[in-house]
């Protein structure tokens, strides 16, 4: 008999930070420290989301509200749960929760083809480069998406 997998997306809770920190360490060479993740959670109660599989956190995504745009700070899926659509699902849910009048911007390592593919698939376009953006000297690609309000079509 096949087990039913229960996938949920919900706002982060203070108790999640430890698990998110482990996921961050498994996903990045230069992970954010847990105090910074806690600050982001405090500032973004609606746009710091976790994705759970059978109540275990396997992904998270964070959008922070900057002065002139919204910024996708981080998104990651646990290595053993990748390529199952969870990254895409998180990004779609984050997009629903940010203001439709604002630009959504992010930086991504130029070698990070998986993430670049994900963002391109969701309609982000490359708008710039930042030389030596990362601590190890790698350049960042800047990508942006202008969200549009869904309009009701009257028949
Ligand atoms: C980037 C990341 C979040 C994608 O999460 P995921 O759950 O594996 O992605 P999904 O299964 O939802 O895939 C969505 C799309 O992303 C692209 N994609 C994801 N992984 C890919 C890979 N390894 N190679 C190429 N394209 C990939 C594909 O376009 C895919 O669509 P498709 O399945 O129709 O081909 C995940 O690889 C990750 O956590 N990486 C480490 C952290 C990271 O680099 N975050 C981004 C920081 S800028």
């Amino acid at each position: 008999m096949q087990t039913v997998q229960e996938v949920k997306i919900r706002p982060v809770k203070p108790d999640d930070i430890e698990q998110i920190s482990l996921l961050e360490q498994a996903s990045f060479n230069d992970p954010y420290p847990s105090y910074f993740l806690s600050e982001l959670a405090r500032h973004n109660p609606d746009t710091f989301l976790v994705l759970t599989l059978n109540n275990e956190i396997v992904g998270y995504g964070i959008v922070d509200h900057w002065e002139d745009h919204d910024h996708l700070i981080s998104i990651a899926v646990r290595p053993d749960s990748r390529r199952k659509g969870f990254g895409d699902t998180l990004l779609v849910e984050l997009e629903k929760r940010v203001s439709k009048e604002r630009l959504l911007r992010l930086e991504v390592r130029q070698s990070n083809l998986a993430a670049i593919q994900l963002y391109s698939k969701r309609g982000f376009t490359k708008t710039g480069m930042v030389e030596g953006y990362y601590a190890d000297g790698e350049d960042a690609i800047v990508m942006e998406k202008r969200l549009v309000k869904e309009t009701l079509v009257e028949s």
Side-chain angles (χ1 to χ4, degrees):
M1 204 175 75
Q2 238 185 344
T3 330
V4 179
Q5 305 270 297
E6 193 187 24
V7 179
K8 282 188 189 161
I9 292 192
R10 60 164 173 80
V12 69
K13 294 188 277 202
D15 285 354
D16 297 331
I17 297 298
E18 202 178 317
Q19 263 193 78
I20 292 169
S21 201
L22 291 175
L23 209 167
E24 175 84 11
Q25 285 163 37
S27 299
F28 297 103
N29 293 332
D30 44 1
Y32 289 135
S34 56
Y35 74 84
F36 183 60
L37 293 168
S38 296
E39 276 299 286
L40 288 166
R42 207 164 57 79
H43 282 114
N44 303 288
D46 299 324
T47 54
F48 187 149
L49 300 179
V50 298
L51 184 145
T52 61
L53 181 64
N54 301 331
N55 292 322
E56 211 179 313
I57 295 176
V58 297
Y60 71 90
I62 312 165
V63 171
D64 196 27
H65 307 293
W66 292 14
E67 201 175 315
D68 61 343
H69 71 278
D70 286 328
H71 208 93
L72 182 71
I73 298 282
S74 190
I75 186 166
V77 172
R78 209 170 66 186
D80 62 358
S81 296
R82 290 183 190 157
R83 298 301 327 237
K84 295 177 196 257
F86 295 151
D88 196 51
T89 304
L90 270 166
L91 197 49
V92 169
E93 193 55 41
L94 284 168
E95 285 180 14
K96 283 187 198 159
R97 288 167 177 253
V98 297
S99 165
K100 299 297 170 282
E101 281 77 36
R102 283 160 68 86
L103 197 68
L104 189 53
R105 182 179 295 157
L106 60 90
E107 288 90 24
V108 55
R109 282 180 183 267
Q110 63 172 0
S111 63
N112 193 345
L113 299 182
I116 293 168
Q117 279 286 110
L118 167 65
Y119 302 138
S120 303
K121 185 181 168 189
R122 293 290 328 142
F124 285 78
T125 53
K126 179 181 162 183
T127 54
M129 294 278 294
V130 188
E131 262 181 56
Y133 179 80
Y134 295 97
D136 61 6
E138 186 170 348
D139 298 345
I141 293 178
V142 180
M143 297 184 84
E144 293 180 349
K145 177 172 179 178
R146 189 167 289 283
L147 302 168
V148 283
K149 266 189 190 153
E150 278 177 34
T151 47
L152 288 174
V153 180
E154 289 179 29
S155 52

